[in-house]
Amino acid sequence: ALPPTYLPFTGAIKSELVPFYRAMLKYMRARGIRAGVLGISKGGTVLATNGYGYRDAGLDADPFVNAGEGGPLVQPDAPFRIASVTKPLTAAAVRDAAADNGVPMNSPAAPWVGQSLNFSFINGFPPLNYNVTPSGTDPRWANLTIQHVLNHHVGFWRDSALPGNNGLPAYNSGKLPFTVNPNDPNNPNDFQPALTGFSSDISYTTSYVLAGLQLASDPRPTVARTILFAAGNTFQYPPGGNVGQGDNYANIGYMLAGRVLEGLRGEDYDPDDPEVPEGWGKFPKLLQNYLCEASGIQTGVYPGDTFHPYAGEPYYRDIDEDGNEEWEWNLAGGSERIRYNNQAQIWEFCQSGCGAPGAVWSTSANTPSPYGGIWLAQRNSAGGIVATTTALLKFARNHRVKVGTPFEGAAGTGSLLAAPGAYGSSSSHNGSLPGTRAWLWQMGGARNNRLPFEWRAWNPDPAAPLDLDENGNVLVDEATLIASSCVLPSDVAVAVIFNQRQDRRAPSSGGVGNSTNGRVYGRIADFLGDAVCQVIAGEGWPGFGEAPAQLAVQPSCN
């Protein structure tokens, strides 16, 4: 029996792994995270999976709550959005398809993408021409290789700074092209603010793609249109060359990777494929075939469906500094939710009565962020997959999951390990989207863990009430730390996913407050790394038993 101040958790309990249960419950408790899953494997065999907290986050009136089966508690096999942890899976499938076709990794990527999208990146004329001059594509597309795509060396910075022209605002200005600012309608040099779906990452240009398609009958920001929008821009550094001053991590590269996979397998991208959620195309089926054949994964990896959760999937929360839900425009709801008002020259979004004659339209934010500004089918092969921790650990059994660098080759993201379950050194991939924070970690090497003192939220008595500030937030000073250390086993992996990406408790340069992704994942590693050290110093690891049959024998996949 657990004290009422702890979140409930589900799944088999193994006494040797108690430090992991405590770490998850304490971490989630102080941050107000209501739903999470953790899976642990050793030597490639899954030791334990557990669910933590509530699927509905306490928001019972929400229309997306309690869809599917499984009850209100998070179950051990609950599927969660994994965001950029999708990328290692994509990379592995692309590597396999290239090998099957005898295509070297340093061969051009553009022909395969073009085959999927029926567009020539070498001498084509992109329909969403933003700043290429003349109107043809940048000729350096011919130099982009498959290896560049997988290793974040694709030619675009994450923090883009492309200039505007021909009535277009600067790319990262937070304004929508081909529009007017409703608060300044007589200023031809001002534009409608991009209230949502905006980022300086070229792959998040949902609002820009949307605005660029204002004359189209179907304004959905599909992955194909996002890629064609990128084709209408000049590269910010030569593909495969010096990245200059930008951050070369490239979501657009992994959108391209999904199309490389389709091209290599002889499939076209079809956003209306009836076998998958709207907008996805053939990528999920091709990925599933590979994961089944290579890792025995027959279930647990799905194409994310923004408005139709899978059985057991939680409600996702994106919160502000006061813990209130963030709201955005509904970019994910399809063409009936979006329209361009030609008279006012602004984009509007359906507020109520959508699809009916009496629909109400305005520019107001109208949807929780994880269900509005992010359309998982558009994130696609770069971050749209939903998966269970069991499936992720089976993948990690025989694939390297670390983030690729511009100059990694055969040992890069998604490459096969020399021996299943033997990692040698630490390797991890993380992912976050509104309402999602995911991490897949292959351990190995010495680690120093930084942990908060046992006080306030970390009171060793879990029945003690939490200390709250005047705003009702938990008082916890994680800038005051103690340390633990040990050599992490080189054959242990963990997969952890939460339904909330914000972490206002991680220490930052200003003390306790919102923190960078690196610090947040570092803090998760502190808690789980310390749990590993406790297991080593305590009862040791639980018995393995027999390896699951689907790992020992290649299943029949179709």
Side-chain angles (χ1 to χ4, degrees):
L2 290 168
T5 51
Y6 265 3
L7 289 169
F9 69 107
T10 59
I13 296 176
K14 298 184 178 181
S15 62
E16 300 94 334
L17 301 180
V18 164
F20 282 101
Y21 311 145
R22 289 175 177 162
M24 285 287 288
L25 292 169
K26 288 169 67 175
Y27 183 88
M28 294 173 64
R29 182 183 185 224
R31 286 156 174 77
I33 299 173
R34 301 282 290 175
V37 283
L38 173 69
I40 308 162
S41 70
K42 194 172 193 302
T45 300
V46 178
L47 297 181
T49 57
N50 294 93
Y52 298 81
Y54 303 93
R55 289 175 48 222
D56 62 5
L59 304 174
D60 294 326
D62 192 277
F64 311 114
V65 167
N66 293 331
E69 303 297 328
L73 298 183
V74 177
Q75 299 300 311
D77 59 351
F80 275 59
R81 298 178 184 179
I82 63 173
S84 285
V85 178
T86 299
K87 289 181 173 69
L89 281 65
T90 299
V94 170
R95 289 178 184 277
D96 180 72
D100 283 351
N101 284 275
V103 175
M105 295 298 292
N106 61 357
S107 63
W112 302 110
V113 179
Q115 180 171 315
S116 170
L117 300 183
N118 192 27
F119 176 80
S120 174
F121 287 80
I122 308 304
N123 54 13
F125 293 86
L128 305 176
N129 182 352
Y130 199 81
N131 67 3
V132 292
T133 305
S135 58
T137 55
D138 190 316
R140 292 174 292 181
W141 279 97
N143 302 328
L144 179 67
T145 70
I146 298 173
Q147 194 70 62
H148 294 153
V149 166
L150 300 186
N151 287 358
H152 301 285
H153 215 183
V154 73
F156 290 104
W157 295 329
R158 175 187 292 207
D159 299 315
S160 300
L162 303 176
N165 55 24
N166 301 322
L168 304 172
Y171 173 70
N172 63 348
S173 67
K175 303 280 189 171
L176 298 180
F178 314 113
T179 62
V180 302
N181 188 335
N183 298 318
D184 191 13
N186 297 319
N187 184 350
N189 297 315
D190 201 4
F191 305 86
Q192 182 180 0
L195 299 180
T196 191
F198 169 77
S199 170
S200 54
D201 184 323
I202 199 167
S203 73
Y204 282 92
T205 57
T206 48
S207 293
Y208 280 91
V209 173
L210 191 69
L213 292 168
Q214 61 178 273
L215 301 179
S217 59
D218 183 355
R220 294 175 300 172
T222 64
V223 65
R225 289 170 178 157
T226 305
I227 292 173
L228 293 177
F229 174 81
N233 287 269
T234 56
F235 284 116
Q236 293 161 298
Y237 66 90
N242 191 329
V243 302
Q245 301 301 310
D247 176 356
N248 61 283
Y249 183 91
N251 285 293
I252 191 67
Y254 273 83
M255 286 187 174
L256 292 166
R259 315 293 71 76
V260 169
L261 177 61
E262 290 170 342
L264 287 167
R265 294 300 187 191
E267 299 283 1
D268 296 334
Y269 171 76
D270 177 10
D272 298 313
D273 188 329
E275 295 184 355
V276 292
E278 183 181 37
W280 266 97
K282 292 294 185 182
F283 169 76
K285 179 65 175 178
L286 299 175
L287 176 64
Q288 180 60 56
N289 287 346
Y290 172 73
L291 294 176
C292 181
E293 294 169 358
S295 300
I297 300 172
Q298 295 177 293
T299 186
V301 176
Y302 314 103
D305 194 346
T306 303
F307 289 103
H308 302 92
Y310 292 92
E313 190 176 354
Y315 178 84
Y316 300 96
R317 304 171 67 230
D318 201 43
I319 60 174
D320 62 20
E321 61 184 8
D322 296 319
N324 299 315
E325 281 197 290
E326 298 274 15
W327 288 64
E328 296 183 351
W329 286 344
N330 185 341
L331 299 181
S335 57
E336 69 177 21
R337 304 270 180 165
I338 307 165
R339 76 177 185 185
Y340 183 74
N341 186 324
N342 285 284
Q343 182 176 358
Q345 290 186 278
I346 58 174
W347 281 96
E348 297 177 324
F349 296 82
C350 183
Q351 306 292 316
S352 62
C354 305
V360 177
W361 297 83
S362 78
T363 61
S364 298
N366 60 0
T367 309
S369 297
Y371 302 94
I374 295 297
W375 185 25
L376 293 176
Q378 189 255 356
R379 304 308 309 136
N380 208 275
S381 47
I385 290 293
V386 170
T388 65
T389 58
T390 297
L392 293 178
L393 291 172
K394 288 180 181 179
F395 173 81
R397 175 179 183 263
N398 57 352
H399 295 88
R400 179 63 67 187
V401 302
K402 67 179 176 182
V403 176
T405 65
F407 304 104
E408 280 181 339
T413 307
S415 57
L416 289 170
L417 295 170
Y423 310 125
S425 60
S426 181
S427 169
S428 67
H429 207 301
N430 61 62
S432 68
L433 287 172
T436 308
R437 187 171 290 283
W439 198 40
L440 180 57
W441 181 19
Q442 296 167 321
M443 294 185 184
R447 177 173 177 82
N448 293 316
N449 306 298
R450 289 155 38 90
L451 298 162
F453 281 118
E454 297 282 5
W455 69 312
R456 291 183 172 169
W458 307 125
N459 191 313
D461 177 9
L466 298 178
D467 292 335
L468 306 178
D469 63 17
E470 63 275 11
N471 296 318
N473 293 320
V474 177
L475 281 171
V476 51
D477 184 2
E478 291 192 357
T480 304
L481 302 165
I482 57 175
S484 71
S485 63
C486 67
V487 176
L488 303 181
S490 61
D491 63 348
V492 170
V494 294
V496 59
I497 320 173
F498 301 114
N499 75 330
Q500 175 182 306
R501 70 173 172 179
Q502 289 83 0
D503 183 348
R504 301 191 306 278
R505 306 304 175 196
S508 63
S509 58
V512 178
N514 282 306
S515 193
T516 64
N517 269 355
R519 286 189 177 274
V520 172
Y521 288 110
R523 181 43 47 91
I524 296 173
D526 285 334
F527 276 76
L528 297 182
D530 180 67
V532 173
C533 294
Q534 290 187 50
V535 170
I536 294 172
E539 298 183 51
W541 298 96
F544 282 30
E546 292 186 16
Q550 62 266 35
L551 291 180
V553 180
Q554 187 180 69
S556 174
C557 304
N558 51 41

